Amino acid sequence: MQKKRGMLPILIVVAVVVIVALLWLNQDISSKQAGNTGVISKQLVELTDENPTFDFWGKNFPEYLDMYLKVETDTPKYTNFGGNLSYSKLIRYPQLTILWAGYPFSIDANEERGHFWIQVDQMDTARNNKDFLNAHGFAKFGGQPAACMNCHSGWTPWLIKNAAKGDFSVFNSTKYWTMIKNIPARNGIQEGSAEHSGPHGGKRMGVTCADCHNPDDMSLRVVRPALINALVGRGYQADPVQGVKADRKEMRTLVCAQCHVEYYFKPTGQKVKVMGESIATDTSKKWWNGTQKTYDEYEHWREGNKATEIEVDGINLTFPWSAWKKGENFRIEMLDEHYDAVRPVFKEDWTHKETKAPMIKIQHPEYEMFSGGVHAANGVSCADCHMPYIKGAGGKKVTQHNITSPLFDINSACKTCHAQPEEYLKQQIADIQKSVAFDLRSAEYATVSLIFDIKKLREELGKLPAYQTDGKPDDAKISKALQEPLELHRRGQMRGDFVGAENSTGFHNPREASRMLLQAVEMARMGQTKLVEIANQNGIKGFKTSNLGFDDIQKFNPGEIVYKIDLNGHTAGERYYKHKEINGEAPKELLELDKNTKPYNFSEVDKVSASATSMKQ
């Protein structure tokens, strides 16, 4: 008993020492965690959603701002199938002009330049220029809605709250060029100034800190209503702070899913009152064809033009995930199921110019593809690879906010988990992408062949009295006879478009990408078989199917975009893009890679690595 009493003071002292040590360790860990995330103990400005500009938020996090802005001044780089060199995808892949015939993407589609440029490029693209498109073969194009700003502008939450008074449908249904006029001036810049038109907090500002971070504590959040609505529909719970309930690891993917997804503009079936422009009543303002202008394709109010109220058909940005439930791997058939279910209200994105098939245009479904891949299955997030931890000032651990291809920094992006040498990992990536690229080119060429054959049979059927009205070909009668091949065109092209638009060339989920593309080839060939059957049934003899290859496809190279007529101060033959680094030809080595990919010339293709390359000046 005496022995135990003698030990008691010693045990008390030991306990105190342990408690003090634990408290110190906890403080040290917290301090290091704060340093690792870039959080500073004393903020220089009070962050707020009333000023979501990255220049403002960057006052508290200058190191992150510097990383984000690096892409603004760096020489563009490209990889085999990506990077941020903004060459024309239509020049590199002329088959897209046929696949997207009748849709604005067939006239303008460039390689993406990154988050900083996303709103600049959206405002400059011909796809957002009603007057240009209407004057160049797209007479029915009505102009883009503000729904397109959901992913392109960090001002979107502010605009929904203030310009649209919290009504998501009103925001989406307003014209793009009308909504953008409402972006306020911040950071001391003047309304209507050149700075207010610029990308640093002005009208052309792209993705911002506020799109992913809560201003109160910098925790991750999702702020885009379309994603929140879609996730709740899949089985997630809404959350007033984060947007949806999810742990931090999942949030490191969900913040990206706000935009890197497939979407469409679903009609609400109701009229909504939105902001219009008084230019619609100014009879001196005309479109290229002499009809009345309804809005000004300019980001500021000018020349007396001011806001009015008009009534339009309502639309909502919607993700087609009704068949995709929480916890399930995504499958392309889920999109079939969703788009079939909504056909009574949303039949198509556009009618194909050549085949008359009702088409779905896939956008950028990285989240869907990635969700079923091996990396997602092992708990890897988008940020782990595209925003890896690097050493910042003073050796502290920070996340890379320049958000580019992992190929630009294999060591940080891949070797946290993979022990193999960098060159080995690069070759593995290259091998996967080149294999999927072969599958993709096979699907695209097969689908283009189907398109040519449908067009040819449409012409032959149109010569038959049974498919005419008043002696002229009746498109409705012909389409009814070709219903099965048209459906195969729609579904098969959607699969090829999914992999092509997904931007990883299958790397996010090689097995699902290849499965989709095999289906696409099968559907194209099945469609051609059906065409032969229909031709025979109608007494059309000698109908032969097509099989276009690389050299055939190159004949459809559209070249750089130019004005075909004098328009709005521009002359016929003038280049559309004023910046020479946009919409040009792809580097020659990429074109050589494509030439050897289909058919697969392994002796040449296998020489190509995945190394990132700076743009040749």
Side-chain angles (χ1 to χ4, degrees):
M1 179 67 75
Q2 188 67 33
K3 227 173 174 185
K4 289 183 180 178
R5 284 178 182 169
M7 289 291 293
L8 187 59
I10 297 174
L11 293 173
I12 292 173
V13 171
V14 170
V16 169
V17 170
V18 170
I19 292 171
V20 170
L22 288 173
L23 290 172
W24 174 84
L25 181 62
N26 181 64
Q27 183 180 16
D28 183 60
I29 291 173
S30 298
S31 175
K32 286 180 178 177
Q33 284 179 335
N36 288 342
T37 57
V39 175
I40 57 179
S41 59
K42 184 179 180 181
Q43 291 191 336
L44 302 177
V45 296
E46 182 179 353
L47 302 181
T48 169
D49 285 328
E50 285 301 303
N51 187 350
T53 68
F54 50 74
D55 276 358
F56 180 73
W57 285 49
K59 292 179 183 296
N60 290 356
F61 305 97
E63 188 171 8
Y64 285 130
L65 179 61
D66 288 345
M67 281 191 285
Y68 180 66
L69 294 179
K70 202 171 187 293
V71 70
E72 183 182 9
T73 55
D74 271 2
T75 299
K77 297 178 181 179
Y78 59 86
T79 63
N80 290 343
F81 303 103
N84 65 346
L85 172 59
S86 193
Y87 58 77
S88 168
K89 289 185 177 181
L90 303 181
I91 294 177
R92 182 177 180 183
Y93 307 120
Q95 63 269 25
L96 298 178
T97 64
I98 307 301
L99 295 169
W100 298 335
Y103 202 57
F105 273 89
S106 68
I107 200 171
D108 190 8
N110 301 313
E111 184 65 36
E112 299 82 1
R113 290 199 292 168
H115 290 168
F116 176 83
W117 298 110
I118 194 169
Q119 177 72 329
V120 173
D121 291 344
Q122 175 69 4
M123 292 172 69
D124 288 348
T125 177
R127 299 195 307 274
N128 199 10
N129 189 326
K130 172 181 165 66
D131 225 16
F132 181 88
L133 287 179
N134 287 175
H136 290 76
F138 293 85
K140 295 182 180 179
F141 177 71
Q144 287 189 342
C148 296
M149 292 180 67
N150 275 280
C151 291
H152 290 271
S153 176
W155 281 107
T156 293
W158 189 95
L159 290 168
I160 293 173
K161 176 184 176 182
N162 294 280
K165 308 303 181 186
D167 192 317
F168 189 48
S169 182
V170 167
F171 172 79
N172 290 309
S173 308
T174 305
K175 285 298 182 185
Y176 179 96
W177 286 105
T178 303
M179 183 56 68
I180 205 169
K181 292 178 173 68
N182 295 285
I183 291 176
R186 293 284 189 265
N187 307 330
I189 61 177
Q190 297 298 311
E191 181 73 34
S193 65
E195 292 82 1
H196 193 201
S197 294
H200 284 270
K203 310 278 187 169
R204 294 175 180 260
M205 182 181 73
V207 175
T208 73
C209 318
D211 289 326
C212 303
H213 293 284
N214 190 309
D216 296 330
D217 59 5
M218 295 304 289
S219 60
L220 294 177
R221 64 175 180 174
V222 293
V223 295
R224 297 300 194 266
L227 176 64
I228 296 171
N229 294 340
L231 290 176
V232 169
R234 289 185 60 205
Y236 284 77
Q237 285 184 275
D239 184 90
V241 177
Q242 286 191 169
V244 294
K245 292 186 182 300
D247 62 26
R248 184 174 180 275
K249 178 175 283 293
E250 188 172 14
M251 290 298 292
R252 282 166 59 84
T253 288
L254 292 182
V255 292
C256 305
Q258 295 183 102
C259 295
H260 290 269
V261 291
E262 157 64 352
Y263 66 87
Y264 67 107
F265 301 149
K266 185 177 182 179
T268 65
Q270 297 178 332
K271 295 286 186 179
V272 293
K273 291 181 178 180
V274 303
M275 183 177 293
E277 301 186 26
S278 61
I279 196 174
T281 59
D282 184 347
T283 56
S284 68
K285 304 296 184 183
K286 305 292 184 182
W287 296 117
W288 73 279
N289 59 0
T291 59
Q292 178 63 48
K293 272 201 170 187
T294 51
Y295 61 90
D296 188 14
E297 291 183 313
Y298 193 72
E299 60 262 43
H300 300 292
W301 300 104
R302 61 177 179 175
E303 300 176 0
N305 185 30
K306 56 187 178 182
T308 62
E309 185 178 77
I310 60 175
E311 193 172 68
V312 300
D313 293 326
I315 59 171
N316 267 333
L317 175 68
T318 304
F319 299 167
W321 294 351
S322 61
W324 182 27
K325 302 307 178 186
K326 184 179 181 182
E328 295 180 345
N329 287 336
F330 175 82
R331 294 288 181 256
I332 191 64
E333 289 81 3
M334 294 173 178
L335 287 193
D336 289 333
E337 185 175 330
H338 178 91
Y339 281 122
D340 284 348
V342 299
R343 277 201 191 192
V345 295
F346 182 79
K347 177 186 175 184
E348 61 191 12
D349 279 312
W350 92 103
T351 300
H352 196 275
K353 181 180 179 181
E354 305 296 352
T355 68
K356 313 303 180 187
M359 303 300 293
I360 298 296
K361 174 69 184 76
I362 302 296
Q363 311 300 332
H364 24 65
E366 286 84 20
Y367 173 63
E368 293 95 327
M369 183 76 92
F370 170 78
S371 68
V374 66
H375 286 88
N378 283 278
V380 178
S381 72
C382 299
D384 289 328
C385 304
H386 291 275
M387 302 178 68
Y389 287 109
I390 60 174
K391 284 187 177 181
K396 68 180 179 182
K397 186 173 73 172
V398 296
T399 49
Q400 171 58 271
H401 274 59
N402 197 11
I403 318 174
T404 55
S405 170
L407 286 169
F408 294 158
D409 189 357
I410 289 283
N411 186 59
S412 299
C414 306
K415 286 181 66 63
T416 300
C417 300
H418 296 278
Q420 298 92 338
E422 283 192 41
E423 193 56 37
Y424 173 86
L425 294 172
K426 281 185 179 181
Q427 291 298 339
Q428 289 294 300
I429 295 167
D431 188 57
I432 290 171
Q433 291 189 315
K434 288 183 289 187
S435 176
V436 173
F438 168 81
D439 295 343
L440 179 54
R441 300 290 91 79
S442 299
E444 289 173 338
Y445 294 178
T447 305
V448 169
S449 299
L450 173 62
I451 289 170
F452 273 80
D453 292 345
I454 291 176
K455 179 184 179 182
K456 183 167 56 178
L457 188 54
R458 290 193 75 96
E459 292 171 352
E460 292 300 318
L461 291 175
K463 297 175 183 177
L464 303 178
Y467 299 99
Q468 296 178 344
T469 298
D470 297 329
K472 296 181 179 179
D474 188 316
D475 279 341
K477 291 179 180 179
I478 297 172
S479 291
K480 185 176 181 180
L482 296 177
Q483 183 175 354
E484 196 168 352
L486 294 183
E487 192 65 18
L488 287 166
H489 175 203
R490 170 187 166 106
R491 292 176 187 266
Q493 181 167 321
M494 186 177 77
R495 283 155 170 75
D497 204 17
F498 191 101
V499 177
E502 193 270 331
N503 284 318
S504 78
T505 314
F507 180 77
H508 286 150
N509 192 343
R511 289 175 297 183
E512 182 66 5
S514 292
R515 189 182 73 86
M516 286 186 202
L517 295 173
L518 179 58
Q519 285 185 339
V521 173
E522 282 187 329
M523 289 174 175
R525 299 312 184 197
M526 286 170 59
Q528 289 179 304
T529 300
K530 291 294 180 183
L531 290 176
V532 173
E533 292 176 2
I534 295 169
N536 289 335
Q537 290 166 2
N538 287 274
I540 299 172
K541 304 298 183 183
F543 184 84
K544 294 182 179 180
T545 58
S546 307
N547 187 24
L548 280 74
F550 179 84
D551 291 334
D552 301 308
I553 294 294
Q554 296 310 301
K555 297 174 184 177
F556 304 107
N557 183 336
E560 297 176 341
I561 306 174
V562 298
Y563 288 87
K564 296 180 180 178
I565 62 171
D566 293 346
L567 179 69
N568 297 331
H570 302 280
T571 58
E574 180 183 342
R575 195 174 187 271
Y576 177 80
Y577 280 98
K578 60 183 179 181
H579 303 295
K580 65 178 182 179
E581 67 271 19
I582 299 176
N583 195 237
E585 292 187 3
K588 291 181 180 179
E589 53 263 43
L590 298 186
L591 298 176
E592 192 65 22
L593 170 62
D594 297 338
K595 181 179 180 179
N596 287 298
T597 295
K598 173 65 178 173
Y600 203 85
N601 182 356
F602 72 91
S603 63
E604 294 298 322
V605 173
D606 288 350
K607 293 177 184 177
V608 181
S609 73
S611 299
T613 311
S614 295
M615 182 181 75
K616 303 288 190 298
Q617 296 295 323

